[in-house]
Amino acid sequence: MTIARVRTESILLALVVFEVAVFGVFARNFLTVRNAFEVARLGVELGLLAVAMTPIVVTGGIDLSVGAVLGLSAVVLGAAFRDWHLPIAAAIALALCVGSACGALNAVLIAHWRIPPLIVTLGSLSLFRGIAEGMTHAAENYSGFPAGFLALGQGYAWGVVPWQVPILVAACAAYIVLLHRSIVGRALYAIGFVGAGARYAGIRVERRIGLVYFLSGVMASVAAIVYVAHLGRRGRMRGAGTSSMRSPQSCSAAPRCSVDVGRSGARSSACSRSRCSRTACIWPRCRPSSWAC
Amino acid sequence: MIRKQSRERSVALVIAVLAAVLALTRPAYFSAQNLNDLVLANLGVLTVALGTTLVIIAGEIDISVGSVFAVASVFAGAAATHGMPIALAVASACGVAACIGLLNGALVAFAGIPSIVVTLATMIGLRDALRWTTQGAWVENVPAGFQWLGLTARSYPMAASAVTIALASATAWALRYSVAGRHVYAVGSSADAARLAGIDSARVKCAVFTVGGLLTGMGAVLNTVRFNQVPSNGGLGLEMQVIAATVVGGAAITGGRGTVTGTVLGVVLLGGIGPALTFAGASAYWERALQGAIVLAAVAADAIQARRQARLA
């Protein structure tokens, strides 16, 4: 188990090093500090979703609805600020509430009612994205956010570090503690190993499983806030394009690793890294919005 | 068994109530033209859903059907345009789809990779390969006999409906009465138990993916010949649509349970609800939210019923 884990992660690390080396040699201006931070900026939203997906995959579940939660939270944030004339702080709080509510819905259906996560999140994916579509008629764009808010996604701390990168780092740190340094984390591994056994061992399986789906919803709305600040305007299309299949897929293909997978897995090698090294293409744009599901 | 039938009955009841309300308030919904459009739009979906039903009953999942659908459509159109006889073009498109299904099935059954991972890979791979080869262009200038398969706009819906009904009946019969069909249920209930009972579980799984691919190809053909050009991005989101319909129809995503009748009812309910929204004057953009709510309600109803039965027992 430990051996397999180390191996998967070292292979991924080797791939990243190889990738960086190849592009460092062949692409001009790739191997610079500035570009490294730009690439990091582009990975934050995906990273947040993938980090939150990790404990879910550890328990043997999946959350297909994260992209839809991100889209819905982003739309609510935009609508709250522009159409309902709320101050930006209240709009952010509302977006977080939406994410929490979405996560709670998944959590209740999966943990309490014991419905398979695949089908629950498939249904809630349609529901959340459908609500976003219904609210915006798939055509609305929101803009005119205050500069202070946009700095979160477009500005730099100390002149070099994009503001959202510390958010991802903090989220990673929190999830590392949760998964590897806490009783809850050990319980999650036990549940993923044998759910019934964990129950007999006195673990509150329902609560633990509910928690990870709830947190996934919360993190998706955090990602939505970063996302809105990053693009500086946002309509339904962008959120819808953040294909939910991507992060679960990268995680489930190599469940051993969280952040590395989200950023160095299939998507970024195919998409962000290669393209972003040359153009200003950001990852949601690499796929047409209606693409994956 | 009792639960299975009661699910079908409740979906049928919901459809009946919806139909009654629509008939009273929006009689135009039942105009010949609208029904014709509805049937044409959903025949392909139903055919694909038949295959998905098989795969889900066997305890697996296939999310590549949307991409396979697009590949088969474009293949049929391109082959016909390049001078292949239309019957042959259509048949080989189905063959291509069946081969992709076979590939999925082999990877799942013999290489032991989880079906969601395998079909996610083929879903993305095929979609990107198609985009690469077509460069996003639609297939145009298809020969005259391609649209409606040489029939007329009037006779084609009849013929296509007949074909779909025949396919659905054959699938229903095979699932219920044939040895192979019973094996699908057995494998879906418990692959290990099935193996111990002498069933070659791997072969059954491989077979359901292959048949699923074939049915997806047929659905693609039925859908594509409605027009005289073939979009290169067809079938987007189709996998979600058919899985939703199958689950609403009472199939258990964990395998071992599900019927063709349920799937047909699921397709009718989910396919009919969108246009009904438009007729009711609501924005069609809420269709997806409503479909999601229906899926969640269906599975929640299942869970509540299961809990009640567990309490009784």
Side-chain angles (χ1 to χ4, degrees), chain A residues 141-265:
Chain A
N141 280 317
Y142 300 96
S143 52
F145 292 97
F149 172 66
L150 294 180
L152 171 68
Q154 297 165 19
Y156 295 89
W158 311 290
V160 274
V161 185
W163 273 116
Q164 64 262 58
V165 172
I167 296 179
L168 179 61
V169 172
C172 292
Y175 267 86
I176 287 172
V177 171
L178 176 77
L179 259 182
H180 304 297
R181 294 283 177 273
S182 77
I183 300 171
V184 175
R186 296 324 292 169
L188 294 177
Y189 279 98
I191 293 167
F193 198 59
V194 185
R199 200 182 304 274
Y200 289 130
I203 292 171
R204 296 184 174 186
V205 175
E206 274 187 24
R207 283 199 182 186
R208 298 293 169 257
I209 290 188
L211 175 74
V212 291
Y213 286 96
F214 174 72
L215 285 180
S216 170
V218 175
M219 291 290 277
S221 57
V222 173
I225 293 161
V226 171
Y227 182 72
V228 173
H230 182 182
L231 295 190
R233 55 149 206 104
R234 130 236 101 299
R236 189 207 64 85
M237 294 314 282
R238 276 285 88 89
T242 310
S243 123
S244 63
M245 293 309 285
R246 287 292 161 149
S247 31
Q249 149 234 353
S250 23
C251 291
S252 58
R256 289 286 147 237
C257 184
S258 52
V259 188
D260 268 332
V261 173
R263 308 222 276 117
S264 69

Side-chain angles (χ1 to χ4, degrees), chain A residues 112-113 115-116 118-120 122-123 125-127 130-131 133-134 137-138 245-246 249 287-288 290-293, chain B residues 61 63 116 120 123-124 127-128 131 236 239-240 243 247 253-254 283 285-286 288-289 292 296 299 303-304 307:
Chain A
H112 185 65
W113 291 105
I115 311 172
L118 184 70
I119 198 65
V120 168
L122 185 66
L125 179 155
S126 278
L127 179 65
I131 294 174
E133 278 176 359
H137 290 192
M245 293 309 285
R246 287 292 161 149
Q249 149 234 353
R287 309 277 168 195
S290 53
W291 193 65
C293 47
Chain B
I61 194 143
I63 57 171
I116 182 136
L120 187 58
M123 163 178 150
I124 293 169
R127 185 65 75 181
D128 267 340
R131 193 191 327 233
L236 283 172
E239 59 283 337
M240 301 298 162
I243 293 170
V247 169
I253 202 79
T254 42
S283 157
Y285 287 110
W286 288 99
R288 198 147 172 190
L296 288 182
V299 290
I304 292 169
R307 187 162 282 203

